[in-house]
Amino acid sequence: MGAICIARDFCLFLLLLNTRQSAALLENPGDRDCCHIDAILGFKGDGKHCEDIDECDIEYNGGCVHECNNIPGNYRCTCHDGFNLACDGHNCLDVDECVFNNGGCQYTCVNTMGSYECSCKEGFFLSDNQHTCIHRSVEGLSCMNKEHGCAHICKETPKGGVACECRPGFELAKNQRGCILTCNHGNGGCQHTCEDMEQGPICRCHVRYTLHPDGRSCVERDETTTESSDHNATSFTEVDKRVKRRLLMENCAVNNGGCDSTCKDTSTGVRCSCPVGFTLQPDGKTCKDINECELHNGGCDHFCRNTIGSFECNCWKGFKLLTDERSCQDIDECYFERTCGHTCVNSPGGFECVCNKGYTLYGLAHCGDINECSVNNGGCEQGCENTMGGFECHCHPGYKLHWNKKDCIEAEGFPATKPPSKPTLNCSRQEGGDRCYLTCQAQVHITSGTEDSYTVTCGMPLPCLAGAQRNGSGSYCLGNVLRIKTTATFKSGTGMCNLKRSQERLKESLNAAHSDSRSPFTENVQFSYVRLRCSSSGPRMQSRHGRKAGYEEEGSAITAEFELDVNLEEVTAESCDLGCVRRRSEKRLRKTIRTLRKSIHREQFHLHFAGSNYELAKRLARPVDLPEHCGKGQVLVDRKCVSCTVGTYYDRDQGRCVLCPAGMYQDEEGKNSCEVCPGSEVRGSPRSVGARNISECGGQCPPGQFSHDGFLPCLPCPLGTYQPEVGRTSCFHCGGNLVTKHNGAVSFQECETKVQCSPGHYYNTSTHRCIRCPMGTYQMEFGQNYCISCPGNTTTDFDGSTNIMQCKNRHCGGEMGDFTGYIESPNYPGNYPANIECTWTINPPPKRRILIVVPEIFLPIEDECGDYLVMRKSSLSNSVTTYETCQTYERPIAFTSRSKRLWIQFKSNEGNSGKGFQVPYVTYDEDYQELIEDIVRDGRLYASENHQEILKDKKLMKALFDVLAHPQNFFNYTAQESREMFPKSFIRFLRSKVLRFLRP
């Protein structure tokens, strides 16, 4: 209401300046309410009918030296890219891009008016992306030799010559080698106005300025400075100034009326006003920048940074700025399935990777199987065998496993049985086809621990000796043993490699198959050695030419190696000699493989070892909007089926997860019942509710104590022994005649060793010395007698490691597709290993080119380029190079390949390590080559921090690559989605490029 009254009063003031309107007003005072609400400065009219004054159409572009933007009742000056608005709100000053991150230049950054240039040191030349440098070749006249003569970009022609091109904002000179600057690049190097001429840009200045002798800069005219100085020296009061202005009849035609900004002549003298973002000072002349950040943080969610005439909002790390350029939204890093090895938990500004039970985190995001047997033999009294996601304790013949699953007790009344030493394959015909089980009871080795690939071996391979005979196909070796060798690859439908325990018990399945006379074993083969390698594959495009953009589903492949000993007892002199028996064996093996192939394809193949049944590949559940029914032991939470956690079970009557009652426990997820705690309840030691394992059942011997059954009452471990776990029937010996300081010791660290071993070492009780942990192991604590094996298929760079983060995966990462893909340094986002070499090849379909985006790359510069990434046409050192670096760059860069195919190599030495890189790529139709190069070579793509964040946002880049690879997919995104994805400045930047490309 107050604002309306002020406007109405101002309206009356304007009307009083006209005598006729004054008389009319006095005669009819009711007309006061007819004043237009916009009857204020910045509008024109009779007070009742007002229209906006377009300040940009008058007074020399509103006084703006670059761009003037009219807004209702006011205007705003803005500057071209490469310039910032000056304090007066009208002039534009050059931005020194080299101050921030060296302008993204690999070596030297040279600032220029409105832009900047990168340059290289001796022996290098600037690559096409105009930021990184490439080694100069001395062989031949090619684009790898600086003598090619091109001022900017060199392209090899099909006939072996060279052709020159220029960066955006430049034109190729008549000699087809040089490049002429235009006004489209950095405003042509002009501070104010640029005009393209045949010989190059001509610079001019705003009317209030004069051209500097350098021909580019603009300085204020002397008379303006003099009059301004005289005005500032005046010490009259504000009233005296108004009187003087009236007496001198000051007007806007002379020195802009002394106004910093807009001047308007009125009957009482000049009236000054300021553009948006500035406020008029008490002297009525000067405009001062408004610090919008002082009031409510400028409306910014996170950071507010004041600029001349405006302000900008920025977000904390892990957030992105929305299109309103005020609000910040959390980046959901878990959007991509490959963010974490197992489970990704998003949080505001970050995320956390969580591994399944029996796995541990390495490389910040990956999960590897824990080798529990490497730590104090897994706590097993006798034998320990590691399994995927767990471990099993075994007892010697004549003993059986105690209820605590670690101690061994005499097996009374049970004859000692020796498990079969050879891997055995049993197949039975059941409803739906053959179902096969491979049983491995001894010599089981797991050499991979990731969820998308692994290797399992059973038995012992027989190498072909130098003197052994080999048949023509190399299928068998003949030395002391005749053995058939064969390899087969099986497709596992849409199942992904996922070595996890099956819900059903092996004995139940085998007994059901064996007891059913209608489904006897169709295969029962004992192998000498089996090696299974499971590898998963992501979705790939079926068509190389993009006409039918159908995807093949995800799946896995199992490569199996079998070794089968020929049964020499079948050899008879009369009916079947050795060759005959071998052929029979090979024929049976082929039949077995056919049966196995059907079983694997139907996902009816299981592996049994260490007393548990495992599925080798598991079909991934497809996401659904709202599941109607959840699986066994699951409950619906937030539209998702969630397994009941350990210590709970699913109660069908209540329809929810319930804590295990006292006297029961549950150490697995997704169960419909709880297990009974062993032993009887002891007075004074009540059973606990929600027990997650046997140890939490209560009534058991605490660490440092033992009893004959593991339950109370207990005895302390005697001197020279210790026990770190609960419910045990014995204590571990320190070894080496070492004694403990007291009874009831709970760890080896209480054994009185002769030396104190530091982290990275273990105490050898035989030699009484500290030994460095071998490669592939680590030890974080002082005074331990073991080293911990690295998880999964990781290893350490050197011996003596002290942390699990020094365990690294040496697998060269990435997915190479025809249309999109990425390459990744080993162990990313953890530090990559030492002495590693990776090579990738991008070979796109015909008539497609390659676009690369390097969001960030971390290579230690201290190694003097010992670690480097290079992209070139082939492995030849003098082939056309697109990109190479041996440094860290946190500023993103995008570029097109200089060749139609790319050979990429990453190599590290034994020195310092770094986070490495994850570099995505996309192949696009070569008809868009000019447009794509125009975009990625324009420095404005990287000038804004918000633009740089786009190139680092995996979700946005995925959408952008999706459209680049398949333009028809643009229609999959609504206009609203497109606007919400990218900032307005980025959309304006792309729109100008696309319109210019499509212009006939």
Side-chain angles (χ1 to χ4, degrees):
M1 185 66 185
I4 296 177
C5 292
I6 294 172
R8 184 175 297 157
D9 292 341
F10 190 71
C11 172
L12 292 175
F13 172 74
L14 293 176
L15 292 176
L16 285 172
L17 297 178
N18 187 298
T19 55
R20 291 183 179 179
Q21 294 179 353
S22 300
L25 183 62
L26 292 172
E27 292 175 2
N28 188 8
D31 284 347
R32 296 180 183 181
D33 292 336
C34 297
C35 290
H36 195 280
I37 194 171
D38 287 335
I40 56 178
L41 196 64
F43 294 85
K44 62 182 179 180
D46 59 4
K48 296 182 179 180
H49 303 89
C50 300
E51 60 179 288
D52 176 50
I53 299 173
D54 188 353
E55 294 87 352
C56 298
D57 279 346
I58 58 177
E59 300 177 356
Y60 306 105
N61 196 39
C64 304
V65 301
H66 280 183
E67 297 177 0
C68 179
N69 303 298
N70 185 60
I71 57 177
N74 212 323
Y75 68 102
R76 183 192 295 274
C77 297
T78 58
C79 299
H80 302 320
D81 291 319
F83 295 86
N84 276 341
L85 199 63
C87 294
D88 62 6
H90 292 77
N91 195 19
C92 292
L93 304 177
D94 172 58
V95 175
D96 187 354
E97 294 87 353
C98 298
V99 173
F100 175 68
N101 198 26
N102 198 39
C105 301
Q106 183 171 353
Y107 287 107
T108 305
C109 179
V110 180
N111 186 56
T112 61
M113 180 66 73
S115 187
Y116 66 101
E117 301 286 341
C118 298
S119 61
C120 303
K121 64 181 182 180
E122 186 67 25
F124 293 78
F125 67 92
L126 210 57
S127 64
D128 290 357
N129 59 49
Q130 302 302 307
H131 287 80
T132 60
C133 299
I134 297 174
H135 280 282
R136 183 184 304 169
S137 173
V138 295
E139 300 178 7
L141 180 63
S142 69
C143 289
M144 293 302 296
N145 190 327
K146 185 58 180 174
E147 303 305 321
H148 52 63
C150 297
H152 285 180
I153 301 167
C154 175
K155 297 284 187 180
E156 291 186 345
T157 63
K159 296 182 179 181
V162 297
C164 299
E165 295 179 4
C166 297
R167 303 199 308 270
F170 292 81
E171 292 181 352
L172 196 63
K174 293 181 179 180
N175 63 6
Q176 302 297 306
R177 290 288 186 270
C179 291
I180 300 174
L181 178 66
T182 70
C183 296
N184 289 328
H185 179 79
N187 199 38
C190 303
Q191 183 177 356
H192 284 186
T193 307
C194 177
E195 183 178 353
D196 279 319
M197 305 294 286
E198 185 175 353
Q199 68 275 16
I202 296 296
C203 299
R204 293 187 173 86
C205 297
H206 191 270
V207 66
R208 294 176 58 188
Y209 296 80
T210 183
L211 193 65
H212 189 272
D214 64 8
R216 297 178 179 276
S217 308
C218 297
V219 294
E220 285 189 286
R221 294 185 181 276
D222 292 339
E223 59 267 26
T224 303
T225 306
T226 302
E227 291 181 18
S228 178
S229 301
D230 294 340
H231 173 72
N232 291 334
T234 305
S235 59
F236 293 126
T237 63
E238 193 64 27
V239 176
D240 291 334
K241 290 179 182 178
R242 286 197 297 268
V243 172
K244 183 179 180 181
R245 283 201 295 270
R246 289 178 182 173
L247 294 175
L248 296 177
M249 293 302 294
E250 191 176 46
N251 60 75
C252 297
V254 179
N255 189 28
N256 195 41
C259 300
D260 264 1
S261 183
T262 304
C263 178
K264 184 177 180 63
D265 287 317
T266 68
S267 60
T268 57
V270 299
R271 181 175 296 276
C272 301
S273 61
C274 301
V276 174
F278 293 83
T279 182
L280 194 64
Q281 295 302 287
D283 62 5
K285 300 282 188 176
T286 310
C287 293
K288 181 181 179 182
D289 171 57
I290 299 173
N291 186 352
E292 294 86 352
C293 298
E294 291 182 344
L295 181 63
H296 304 303
N297 198 41
C300 302
D301 271 1
H302 292 174
F303 299 117
C304 179
R305 187 174 72 89
N306 186 56
T307 61
I308 302 299
S310 186
F311 68 102
E312 66 178 30
C313 300
N314 292 310
C315 300
W316 300 326
K317 186 176 181 180
F319 292 81
K320 65 179 179 181
L321 195 67
L322 297 182
T323 52
D324 64 2
E325 299 182 343
R326 300 286 191 278
S327 306
C328 293
Q329 184 184 68
D330 172 55
I331 298 174
D332 185 2
E333 294 86 355
C334 300
Y335 173 80
F336 283 87
E337 292 182 1
R338 64 173 183 261
T339 300
C340 295
H342 284 181
T343 304
C344 182
V345 181
N346 188 57
S347 60
F351 68 100
E352 180 184 5
C353 293
V354 180
C355 297
N356 298 337
K357 181 182 177 181
Y359 294 81
T360 188
L361 196 68
Y362 72 88
L364 302 178
H366 307 284
C367 295
D369 171 59
I370 301 172
N371 184 358
E372 294 87 351
C373 297
S374 68
V375 181
N376 198 27
N377 196 41
C380 301
E381 183 180 3
Q382 295 182 7
C384 180
E385 186 168 14
N386 186 52
T387 64
M388 293 294 287
F391 69 103
E392 298 283 348
C393 294
H394 295 294
C395 298
H396 302 321
Y399 291 84
K400 66 178 182 179
L401 206 58
H402 186 257
W403 60 261
N404 61 25
K405 298 182 181 180
K406 293 189 176 182
D407 288 320
C408 293
I409 58 178
E410 290 187 13
E412 299 176 1
F414 292 93
T417 58
K418 186 178 181 181
S421 60
K422 291 185 177 182
T424 304
L425 180 69
N426 293 300
C427 297
S428 62
R429 189 173 300 279
Q430 299 182 17
E431 185 178 353
D434 289 294
R435 191 167 198 163
C436 296
Y437 295 86
L438 180 66
T439 304
C440 305
Q441 292 289 9
Q443 298 171 322
V444 181
H445 299 281
I446 304 166
T447 57
S448 176
T450 60
E451 208 175 25
D452 57 355
S453 65
Y454 57 82
T455 302
V456 177
T457 62
C458 307
M460 287 293 292
L462 178 68
C464 289
L465 304 177
Q469 299 178 8
R470 184 188 296 270
N471 72 353
S473 62
S475 64
Y476 70 96
C477 299
L478 183 60
N480 296 327
V481 179
L482 179 63
R483 181 172 289 188
I484 301 172
K485 287 186 175 184
T486 188
T487 302
T489 301
F490 309 96
K491 293 282 187 178
S492 183
T494 59
M496 300 294 287
C497 294
N498 193 7
L499 190 61
K500 289 188 177 180
R501 289 182 180 176
S502 176
Q503 295 293 332
E504 60 181 286
R505 301 290 182 182
L506 175 78
K507 290 183 179 179
E508 296 173 1
S509 302
L510 291 179
N511 291 339
H514 191 63
S515 61
D516 191 347
S517 59
R518 294 172 298 176
S519 58
F521 287 136
T522 57
E523 301 291 342
N524 187 2
V525 182
Q526 274 200 353
F527 295 102
S528 299
Y529 174 72
V530 176
R531 182 180 186 271
L532 301 175
R533 165 70 178 172
C534 186
S535 57
S536 301
S537 60
R540 292 179 62 87
M541 298 297 297
Q542 291 179 339
S543 171
R544 288 178 60 88
H545 303 288
R547 294 189 181 95
K548 295 182 179 180
Y551 283 90
E552 293 180 0
E553 292 196 42
E554 297 175 334
S556 60
I558 298 175
T559 302
E561 298 178 11
F562 299 104
E563 294 187 13
L564 177 65
D565 289 342
V566 175
N567 188 359
L568 300 180
E569 295 179 359
E570 296 182 10
V571 177
T572 59
E574 298 81 10
S575 58
C576 193
D577 59 8
L578 182 61
C580 171
V581 173
R582 177 177 58 80
R583 288 190 295 271
R584 283 182 183 176
S585 299
E586 290 176 342
K587 184 177 180 180
R588 286 196 298 265
L589 184 57
R590 286 194 296 269
K591 177 178 176 295
T592 299
I593 290 176
R594 286 196 298 270
T595 303
L596 186 59
R597 188 181 303 279
K598 296 175 183 178
S599 172
I600 292 176
H601 182 71
R602 294 189 178 96
E603 298 182 6
Q604 296 294 317
F605 177 51
H606 299 263
L607 175 66
H608 176 72
F609 58 88
S612 299
N613 185 24
Y614 289 81
E615 296 176 346
L616 271 71
K618 184 176 182 181
R619 187 184 301 271
L620 296 180
R622 297 297 178 188
V624 291
D625 293 337
L626 182 61
E628 297 181 1
H629 303 286
C630 291
K632 178 182 176 182
Q634 292 185 321
V635 64
L636 189 64
V637 178
D638 295 333
R639 300 169 62 89
K640 295 181 180 178
C641 288
V642 178
S643 298
C644 294
T645 59
V646 294
T648 69
Y649 71 100
Y650 181 74
D651 189 307
R652 290 188 178 90
D653 296 332
Q654 301 185 47
R656 62 186 181 90
C657 298
V658 180
L659 289 173
C660 290
M664 304 188 78
Y665 75 96
Q666 183 51 261
D667 57 359
E668 295 185 31
E669 294 182 350
K671 294 297 181 180
N672 290 339
S673 61
C674 296
E675 303 290 337
V676 179
C677 290
S680 57
E681 186 170 352
V682 180
R683 182 178 299 178
S685 179
R687 303 282 192 175
S688 58
V689 177
R692 295 170 295 179
N693 50 55
I694 294 179
S695 301
E696 295 183 0
C697 281
Q700 301 163 57
C701 294
Q705 298 185 20
F706 73 103
S707 69
H708 71 283
D709 58 1
F711 288 102
L712 299 174
C714 309
L715 296 173
C717 291
L719 293 176
T721 65
Y722 63 94
Q723 180 51 258
E725 299 179 7
V726 300
R728 299 304 297 267
T729 63
S730 62
C731 298
F732 296 106
H733 290 275
C734 292
N737 297 320
L738 298 177
V739 296
T740 53
K741 300 175 182 178
H742 51 77
N743 293 330
V746 298
S747 71
F748 178 80
Q749 292 166 315
E750 297 182 59
C751 298
E752 293 186 318
T753 57
K754 296 184 178 181
V755 290
Q756 174 81 338
C757 295
S758 60
H761 298 75
Y762 72 97
Y763 187 84
N764 188 311
T765 55
S766 299
T767 62
H768 296 286
R769 297 176 57 188
C770 293
I771 309 297
R772 291 175 65 87
C773 290
M775 286 183 60
T777 66
Y778 66 96
Q779 178 52 258
M780 299 178 292
E781 300 178 354
F782 284 90
Q784 288 291 6
N785 62 335
Y786 61 88
C787 293
I788 306 171
S789 294
C790 284
N793 56 352
T794 63
T795 187
T796 58
D797 290 334
F798 310 102
D799 59 359
S801 296
T802 60
N803 195 288
I804 191 174
M805 297 307 295
Q806 293 172 286
C807 296
K808 303 173 184 178
N809 190 324
R810 298 183 67 86
H811 173 70
C812 300
E815 290 181 4
M816 314 302 290
D818 287 341
F819 297 93
T820 58
Y822 71 96
I823 62 170
E824 186 178 84
S825 56
N827 206 55
Y828 183 87
N831 288 354
Y832 53 79
N835 299 316
I836 197 74
E837 181 175 356
C838 298
T839 57
W840 302 270
T841 300
I842 305 176
N843 193 11
K847 296 185 178 181
R848 296 187 74 86
R849 303 301 295 265
I850 307 169
L851 170 65
I852 303 281
V853 175
V854 182
E856 56 186 6
I857 183 170
F858 298 89
L859 304 177
I861 194 173
E862 298 87 357
D863 285 348
E864 298 182 356
C865 287
D867 303 347
Y868 64 86
L869 176 68
V870 62
M871 304 180 186
R872 51 178 179 251
K873 184 177 181 180
S874 69
S875 59
L876 299 177
S877 59
N878 63 344
S879 62
V880 176
T881 302
T882 294
Y883 176 83
E884 66 177 352
T885 185
C886 58
Q887 299 178 7
T888 291
Y889 293 100
E890 297 187 49
R891 179 170 173 165
I893 190 168
F895 50 88
T896 58
S897 172
R898 299 178 69 192
S899 52
K900 289 191 174 182
R901 68 186 297 271
L902 270 183
W903 178 85
I904 306 173
Q905 182 188 50
F906 170 65
K907 203 169 185 179
S908 68
N909 63 7
E910 60 182 16
N912 296 315
S913 181
K915 178 180 176 181
F917 54 85
Q918 186 184 79
V919 177
Y921 72 87
V922 62
T923 66
Y924 57 91
D925 194 313
E926 62 183 14
D927 290 341
Y928 299 110
Q929 176 78 353
E930 181 182 344
L931 172 63
I932 301 300
E933 290 189 343
D934 187 28
I935 293 173
V936 300
R937 291 175 182 172
D938 196 321
R940 288 179 294 172
L941 179 62
Y942 318 101
S944 164
E945 288 187 26
N946 290 331
H947 288 189
Q948 294 176 33
E949 290 304 314
I950 291 174
L951 298 180
K952 291 185 177 184
D953 191 317
K954 294 180 180 179
K955 185 176 182 180
L956 294 183
M957 291 308 301
K958 182 179 183 295
L960 203 57
F961 277 16
D962 183 36
V963 175
L964 284 175
H966 310 287
Q968 68 272 18
N969 289 350
F970 171 78
F971 300 102
N972 295 338
Y973 301 91
T974 65
Q976 181 67 20
E977 284 178 326
S978 300
R979 286 193 296 268
E980 291 176 354
M981 279 184 176
F982 302 101
K984 297 176 183 177
S985 58
F986 186 77
I987 294 176
R988 288 195 299 268
F989 170 75
L990 290 184
R991 183 185 293 119
S992 64
K993 297 291 185 182
V994 173
L995 292 177
R996 185 183 307 158
F997 175 75
L998 298 176
R999 188 179 300 141

